[in-house]
PDB file of all heavy atoms in Angstrom:
ATOM      1  N   ILE A 100     -36.749 -11.965   9.371  1.00 90.00           N
ATOM      2  CA  ILE A 100     -36.283 -13.197   8.725  1.00 90.00           C
ATOM      3  C   ILE A 100     -37.486 -13.881   8.092  1.00 90.00           C
ATOM      4  O   ILE A 100     -38.466 -14.193   8.780  1.00 90.00           O
ATOM      5  CB  ILE A 100     -35.591 -14.125   9.730  1.00 90.00           C
ATOM      6  CG1 ILE A 100     -34.374 -13.430  10.353  1.00 90.00           C
ATOM      7  CG2 ILE A 100     -35.156 -15.428   9.046  1.00 90.00           C
ATOM      8  CD1 ILE A 100     -33.686 -14.217  11.449  1.00 90.00           C
ATOM      9  N   PHE A 101     -37.407 -14.085   6.787  1.00 91.00           N
ATOM     10  CA  PHE A 101     -38.487 -14.719   6.030  1.00 91.00           C
ATOM     11  C   PHE A 101     -38.083 -16.159   5.737  1.00 91.00           C
ATOM     12  O   PHE A 101     -36.982 -16.407   5.242  1.00 91.00           O
ATOM     13  CB  PHE A 101     -38.729 -13.991   4.702  1.00 91.00           C
ATOM     14  CG  PHE A 101     -39.057 -12.527   4.842  1.00 91.00           C
ATOM     15  CD1 PHE A 101     -38.049 -11.598   5.030  1.00 91.00           C
ATOM     16  CD2 PHE A 101     -40.367 -12.081   4.761  1.00 91.00           C
ATOM     17  CE1 PHE A 101     -38.331 -10.246   5.146  1.00 91.00           C
ATOM     18  CE2 PHE A 101     -40.662 -10.731   4.886  1.00 91.00           C
ATOM     19  CZ  PHE A 101     -39.637  -9.816   5.077  1.00 91.00           C
ATOM     20  N   ILE A 102     -38.966 -17.101   6.030  1.00 89.00           N
ATOM     21  CA  ILE A 102     -38.716 -18.516   5.724  1.00 89.00           C
ATOM     22  C   ILE A 102     -39.485 -18.879   4.457  1.00 89.00           C
ATOM     23  O   ILE A 102     -40.698 -18.702   4.389  1.00 89.00           O
ATOM     24  CB  ILE A 102     -39.145 -19.425   6.883  1.00 89.00           C
ATOM     25  CG1 ILE A 102     -38.429 -19.010   8.177  1.00 89.00           C
ATOM     26  CG2 ILE A 102     -38.857 -20.885   6.553  1.00 89.00           C
ATOM     27  CD1 ILE A 102     -36.924 -19.081   8.113  1.00 89.00           C
ATOM     28  N   ALA A 103     -38.770 -19.369   3.453  1.00 89.00           N
ATOM     29  CA  ALA A 103     -39.383 -19.671   2.155  1.00 89.00           C
ATOM     30  C   ALA A 103     -40.376 -20.823   2.259  1.00 89.00           C
ATOM     31  O   ALA A 103     -40.197 -21.756   3.039  1.00 89.00           O
ATOM     32  CB  ALA A 103     -38.300 -20.009   1.134  1.00 89.00           C
ATOM     33  N   ASP A 104     -41.438 -20.723   1.472  1.00 85.00           N
ATOM     34  CA  ASP A 104     -42.446 -21.784   1.388  1.00 85.00           C
ATOM     35  C   ASP A 104     -42.004 -22.774   0.317  1.00 85.00           C
ATOM     36  O   ASP A 104     -41.854 -22.411  -0.853  1.00 85.00           O
ATOM     37  CB  ASP A 104     -43.813 -21.166   1.031  1.00 85.00           C
ATOM     38  CG  ASP A 104     -44.942 -22.165   1.148  1.00 85.00           C
ATOM     39  OD1 ASP A 104     -44.665 -23.392   1.151  1.00 85.00           O
ATOM     40  OD2 ASP A 104     -46.094 -21.744   1.214  1.00 85.00           O
ATOM     41  N   SER A 107     -44.474 -23.117  -2.722  1.00 74.00           N
ATOM     42  CA  SER A 107     -44.859 -21.963  -3.532  1.00 74.00           C
ATOM     43  C   SER A 107     -43.632 -21.121  -3.857  1.00 74.00           C
ATOM     44  O   SER A 107     -42.812 -20.842  -2.987  1.00 74.00           O
ATOM     45  CB  SER A 107     -45.914 -21.123  -2.806  1.00 74.00           C
ATOM     46  OG  SER A 107     -46.188 -19.937  -3.530  1.00 74.00           O
ATOM     47  N   ASN A 109     -43.764 -17.977  -4.791  1.00 74.00           N
ATOM     48  CA  ASN A 109     -43.987 -16.561  -4.531  1.00 74.00           C
ATOM     49  C   ASN A 109     -44.545 -16.272  -3.149  1.00 74.00           C
ATOM     50  O   ASN A 109     -45.308 -15.325  -2.974  1.00 74.00           O
ATOM     51  CB  ASN A 109     -44.930 -15.988  -5.598  1.00 74.00           C
ATOM     52  CG  ASN A 109     -44.348 -16.100  -6.998  1.00 74.00           C
ATOM     53  OD1 ASN A 109     -43.211 -15.723  -7.227  1.00 74.00           O
ATOM     54  ND2 ASN A 109     -45.125 -16.632  -7.924  1.00 74.00           N
ATOM     55  N   SER A 110     -44.184 -17.066  -2.160  1.00 77.00           N
ATOM     56  CA  SER A 110     -44.677 -16.793  -0.817  1.00 77.00           C
ATOM     57  C   SER A 110     -43.705 -17.348   0.215  1.00 77.00           C
ATOM     58  O   SER A 110     -42.795 -18.112  -0.101  1.00 77.00           O
ATOM     59  CB  SER A 110     -46.062 -17.400  -0.615  1.00 77.00           C
ATOM     60  OG  SER A 110     -46.002 -18.805  -0.694  1.00 77.00           O
ATOM     61  N   PHE A 111     -43.919 -16.909   1.453  1.00 86.00           N
ATOM     62  CA  PHE A 111     -43.104 -17.373   2.575  1.00 86.00           C
ATOM     63  C   PHE A 111     -44.008 -18.100   3.563  1.00 86.00           C
ATOM     64  O   PHE A 111     -45.145 -17.700   3.794  1.00 86.00           O
ATOM     65  CB  PHE A 111     -42.421 -16.189   3.255  1.00 86.00           C
ATOM     66  CG  PHE A 111     -41.454 -15.449   2.364  1.00 86.00           C
ATOM     67  CD1 PHE A 111     -41.842 -14.302   1.697  1.00 86.00           C
ATOM     68  CD2 PHE A 111     -40.162 -15.924   2.177  1.00 86.00           C
ATOM     69  CE1 PHE A 111     -40.964 -13.637   0.873  1.00 86.00           C
ATOM     70  CE2 PHE A 111     -39.271 -15.263   1.359  1.00 86.00           C
ATOM     71  CZ  PHE A 111     -39.677 -14.115   0.696  1.00 86.00           C
ATOM     72  N   SER A 112     -43.506 -19.182   4.134  1.00 84.00           N
ATOM     73  CA  SER A 112     -44.321 -19.979   5.051  1.00 84.00           C
ATOM     74  C   SER A 112     -44.424 -19.328   6.426  1.00 84.00           C
ATOM     75  O   SER A 112     -45.414 -19.496   7.126  1.00 84.00           O
ATOM     76  CB  SER A 112     -43.739 -21.387   5.192  1.00 84.00           C
ATOM     77  OG  SER A 112     -42.419 -21.319   5.727  1.00 84.00           O
ATOM     78  N   SER A 113     -43.383 -18.568   6.826  1.00 84.00           N
ATOM     79  CA  SER A 113     -43.438 -17.880   8.110  1.00 84.00           C
ATOM     80  C   SER A 113     -42.489 -16.689   8.088  1.00 84.00           C
ATOM     81  O   SER A 113     -41.560 -16.620   7.289  1.00 84.00           O
ATOM     82  CB  SER A 113     -43.073 -18.826   9.255  1.00 84.00           C
ATOM     83  OG  SER A 113     -41.765 -19.343   9.088  1.00 84.00           O
ATOM     84  N   VAL A 114     -42.772 -15.735   8.977  1.00 87.00           N
ATOM     85  CA  VAL A 114     -41.979 -14.510   9.055  1.00 87.00           C
ATOM     86  C   VAL A 114     -41.706 -14.212  10.520  1.00 87.00           C
ATOM     87  O   VAL A 114     -42.613 -14.288  11.355  1.00 87.00           O
ATOM     88  CB  VAL A 114     -42.736 -13.312   8.420  1.00 87.00           C
ATOM     89  CG1 VAL A 114     -41.912 -12.033   8.567  1.00 87.00           C
ATOM     90  CG2 VAL A 114     -43.050 -13.580   6.967  1.00 87.00           C
ATOM     91  N   TYR A 140     -42.953  -7.301   2.058  1.00 82.00           N
ATOM     92  CA  TYR A 140     -42.392  -8.573   1.590  1.00 82.00           C
ATOM     93  C   TYR A 140     -41.679  -8.434   0.238  1.00 82.00           C
ATOM     94  O   TYR A 140     -40.983  -9.346  -0.193  1.00 82.00           O
ATOM     95  CB  TYR A 140     -43.504  -9.619   1.423  1.00 82.00           C
ATOM     96  CG  TYR A 140     -44.120 -10.118   2.689  1.00 82.00           C
ATOM     97  CD1 TYR A 140     -44.873  -9.282   3.503  1.00 82.00           C
ATOM     98  CD2 TYR A 140     -43.973 -11.445   3.082  1.00 82.00           C
ATOM     99  CE1 TYR A 140     -45.456  -9.751   4.671  1.00 82.00           C
ATOM    100  CE2 TYR A 140     -44.556 -11.916   4.254  1.00 82.00           C
ATOM    101  CZ  TYR A 140     -45.293 -11.052   5.034  1.00 82.00           C
ATOM    102  OH  TYR A 140     -45.876 -11.519   6.179  1.00 82.00           O
ATOM    103  N   MET A 141     -41.849  -7.300  -0.425  1.00 86.00           N
ATOM    104  CA  MET A 141     -41.425  -7.211  -1.821  1.00 86.00           C
ATOM    105  C   MET A 141     -39.912  -7.317  -2.001  1.00 86.00           C
ATOM    106  O   MET A 141     -39.424  -7.957  -2.924  1.00 86.00           O
ATOM    107  CB  MET A 141     -41.933  -5.899  -2.433  1.00 86.00           C
ATOM    108  CG  MET A 141     -43.444  -5.724  -2.334  1.00 86.00           C
ATOM    109  SD  MET A 141     -44.359  -7.088  -3.099  1.00 86.00           S
ATOM    110  CE  MET A 141     -44.001  -6.803  -4.823  1.00 86.00           C
ATOM    111  N   TYR A 142     -39.128  -6.674  -1.092  1.00 90.00           N
ATOM    112  CA  TYR A 142     -37.675  -6.759  -1.207  1.00 90.00           C
ATOM    113  C   TYR A 142     -37.209  -8.194  -0.972  1.00 90.00           C
ATOM    114  O   TYR A 142     -36.317  -8.703  -1.672  1.00 90.00           O
ATOM    115  CB  TYR A 142     -37.015  -5.822  -0.199  1.00 90.00           C
ATOM    116  CG  TYR A 142     -37.325  -4.364  -0.434  1.00 90.00           C
ATOM    117  CD1 TYR A 142     -38.106  -3.646   0.462  1.00 90.00           C
ATOM    118  CD2 TYR A 142     -36.837  -3.708  -1.557  1.00 90.00           C
ATOM    119  CE1 TYR A 142     -38.410  -2.315   0.258  1.00 90.00           C
ATOM    120  CE2 TYR A 142     -37.130  -2.364  -1.779  1.00 90.00           C
ATOM    121  CZ  TYR A 142     -37.911  -1.669  -0.875  1.00 90.00           C
ATOM    122  OH  TYR A 142     -38.202  -0.351  -1.098  1.00 90.00           O
ATOM    123  N   ALA A 143     -37.789  -8.837   0.042  1.00 90.00           N
ATOM    124  CA  ALA A 143     -37.415 -10.222   0.339  1.00 90.00           C
ATOM    125  C   ALA A 143     -37.745 -11.130  -0.840  1.00 90.00           C
ATOM    126  O   ALA A 143     -36.974 -12.039  -1.177  1.00 90.00           O
ATOM    127  CB  ALA A 143     -38.140 -10.701   1.597  1.00 90.00           C
ATOM    128  N   GLN A 144     -38.899 -10.905  -1.476  1.00 90.00           N
ATOM    129  CA  GLN A 144     -39.282 -11.706  -2.632  1.00 90.00           C
ATOM    130  C   GLN A 144     -38.306 -11.490  -3.784  1.00 90.00           C
ATOM    131  O   GLN A 144     -37.917 -12.428  -4.485  1.00 90.00           O
ATOM    132  CB  GLN A 144     -40.709 -11.344  -3.069  1.00 90.00           C
ATOM    133  CG  GLN A 144     -41.291 -12.267  -4.131  1.00 90.00           C
ATOM    134  CD  GLN A 144     -41.434 -13.694  -3.637  1.00 90.00           C
ATOM    135  OE1 GLN A 144     -42.069 -13.939  -2.626  1.00 90.00           O
ATOM    136  NE2 GLN A 144     -40.841 -14.629  -4.351  1.00 90.00           N
ATOM    137  N   TYR A 145     -37.876 -10.230  -3.963  1.00 90.00           N
ATOM    138  CA  TYR A 145     -36.915  -9.908  -5.015  1.00 90.00           C
ATOM    139  C   TYR A 145     -35.589 -10.640  -4.776  1.00 90.00           C
ATOM    140  O   TYR A 145     -34.998 -11.240  -5.687  1.00 90.00           O
ATOM    141  CB  TYR A 145     -36.685  -8.394  -5.046  1.00 90.00           C
ATOM    142  CG  TYR A 145     -35.619  -7.925  -6.004  1.00 90.00           C
ATOM    143  CD1 TYR A 145     -35.909  -7.704  -7.346  1.00 90.00           C
ATOM    144  CD2 TYR A 145     -34.312  -7.708  -5.567  1.00 90.00           C
ATOM    145  CE1 TYR A 145     -34.923  -7.285  -8.235  1.00 90.00           C
ATOM    146  CE2 TYR A 145     -33.322  -7.284  -6.448  1.00 90.00           C
ATOM    147  CZ  TYR A 145     -33.629  -7.073  -7.775  1.00 90.00           C
ATOM    148  OH  TYR A 145     -32.660  -6.657  -8.650  1.00 90.00           O
ATOM    149  N   LYS A 147     -35.115 -13.319  -2.925  1.00 91.00           N
ATOM    150  CA  LYS A 147     -35.344 -14.766  -3.049  1.00 91.00           C
ATOM    151  C   LYS A 147     -35.290 -15.190  -4.518  1.00 91.00           C
ATOM    152  O   LYS A 147     -34.708 -16.221  -4.860  1.00 91.00           O
ATOM    153  CB  LYS A 147     -36.691 -15.127  -2.437  1.00 91.00           C
ATOM    154  CG  LYS A 147     -37.079 -16.592  -2.555  1.00 91.00           C
ATOM    155  CD  LYS A 147     -38.391 -16.840  -1.838  1.00 91.00           C
ATOM    156  CE  LYS A 147     -38.844 -18.288  -1.963  1.00 91.00           C
ATOM    157  NZ  LYS A 147     -39.339 -18.618  -3.302  1.00 91.00           N
ATOM    158  N   VAL A 192     -32.595 -21.038  -2.155  1.00 90.00           N
ATOM    159  CA  VAL A 192     -32.832 -20.050  -1.113  1.00 90.00           C
ATOM    160  C   VAL A 192     -33.925 -20.573  -0.185  1.00 90.00           C
ATOM    161  O   VAL A 192     -35.042 -20.830  -0.617  1.00 90.00           O
ATOM    162  CB  VAL A 192     -33.251 -18.688  -1.710  1.00 90.00           C
ATOM    163  CG1 VAL A 192     -33.640 -17.712  -0.599  1.00 90.00           C
ATOM    164  CG2 VAL A 192     -32.110 -18.111  -2.540  1.00 90.00           C
ATOM    165  N   ILE A 193     -33.572 -20.752   1.105  1.00 89.00           N
ATOM    166  CA  ILE A 193     -34.563 -21.258   2.063  1.00 89.00           C
ATOM    167  C   ILE A 193     -35.103 -20.148   2.960  1.00 89.00           C
ATOM    168  O   ILE A 193     -35.998 -20.367   3.773  1.00 89.00           O
ATOM    169  CB  ILE A 193     -33.956 -22.373   2.947  1.00 89.00           C
ATOM    170  CG1 ILE A 193     -32.764 -21.849   3.752  1.00 89.00           C
ATOM    171  CG2 ILE A 193     -33.565 -23.563   2.107  1.00 89.00           C
ATOM    172  CD1 ILE A 193     -32.240 -22.846   4.776  1.00 89.00           C
ATOM    173  N   GLY A 194     -34.528 -18.947   2.788  1.00 91.00           N
ATOM    174  CA  GLY A 194     -35.004 -17.821   3.586  1.00 91.00           C
ATOM    175  C   GLY A 194     -34.317 -16.544   3.168  1.00 91.00           C
ATOM    176  O   GLY A 194     -33.430 -16.531   2.304  1.00 91.00           O
ATOM    177  N   VAL A 195     -34.738 -15.444   3.764  1.00 93.00           N
ATOM    178  CA  VAL A 195     -34.152 -14.130   3.479  1.00 93.00           C
ATOM    179  C   VAL A 195     -34.029 -13.374   4.793  1.00 93.00           C
ATOM    180  O   VAL A 195     -34.957 -13.392   5.615  1.00 93.00           O
ATOM    181  CB  VAL A 195     -35.031 -13.322   2.490  1.00 93.00           C
ATOM    182  CG1 VAL A 195     -34.487 -11.911   2.328  1.00 93.00           C
ATOM    183  CG2 VAL A 195     -35.105 -14.023   1.136  1.00 93.00           C
TER     184      VAL A 195
END
Side-chain angles (χ1 to χ4, degrees):
I100 300 175
F101 303 81
I102 304 300
D104 189 341
S107 174
N109 299 311
S110 64
F111 297 97
S112 61
S113 60
V114 178
Y140 290 67
M141 304 303 290
Y142 297 112
Q144 189 63 56
Y145 175 85
K147 177 177 178 287
V192 174
I193 61 172
V195 174

